[in-house]
Amino acid sequence: DGKVPHWIHRADGEPLTFAGLWEVWAPRDAEPVHSFCILTTTPCPVMSPIHDRMPVILEGDERDAWLDPDASPADLQALMRPWEGALTAYAVSTRVNSPRNDDPELIVRAG
């Protein structure tokens, strides 16, 4: 289908934090439904050749601001922008498409 999997990570090797929303909905006479989504924004220069959007990435004080129940909508909206930190991305094997595969070779740069 033309899709190429990529390993995308911070250039410094630190973990990424994505902005997300979650909710629990309790339908009548049924188990609660837990749902979650990762918010996206326009891509940064590293991501734009790969996809037309990317997750909203939060750092440091931005994580606290995102989780602050007293944050204003304007403050939260200001976080919804492409990340300016250094990302590294490169194509990897299509072996990542199967959950049966779980080994370090999955993040080796594809030939």
Side-chain angles (χ1 to χ4, degrees):
D1 62 6
K3 294 182 180 179
V4 177
H6 285 75
W7 185 42
I8 302 162
H9 56 283
R10 285 176 57 137
D12 63 9
E14 291 296 313
L16 292 165
T17 302
F18 297 155
L21 300 172
W22 66 274
E23 181 178 32
V24 178
W25 175 63
R28 282 185 247 174
D29 301 323
E31 292 292 316
V33 176
H34 298 262
S35 62
F36 177 83
C37 69
I38 294 173
L39 301 176
T40 61
T41 187
T42 55
C44 67
V46 170
M47 291 296 297
S48 62
I50 300 168
H51 205 282
D52 63 351
R53 64 184 187 273
M54 66 179 287
V56 173
I57 299 173
L58 304 173
E59 255 201 304
D61 292 342
E62 295 171 338
R63 288 187 285 262
D64 294 332
W66 184 256
L67 296 172
D68 181 356
D70 297 321
S72 73
D75 290 340
L76 297 175
Q77 183 66 39
L79 300 173
M80 303 288 295
R81 77 304 176 239
W83 193 53
E84 296 176 359
L87 291 176
T88 299
Y90 56 78
V92 295
S93 168
T94 56
R95 290 184 60 242
V96 301
N97 296 335
S98 172
R100 291 186 307 260
N101 301 320
D102 185 14
D103 59 78
E105 297 297 313
L106 295 176
I107 59 172
V108 171
R109 187 181 301 264

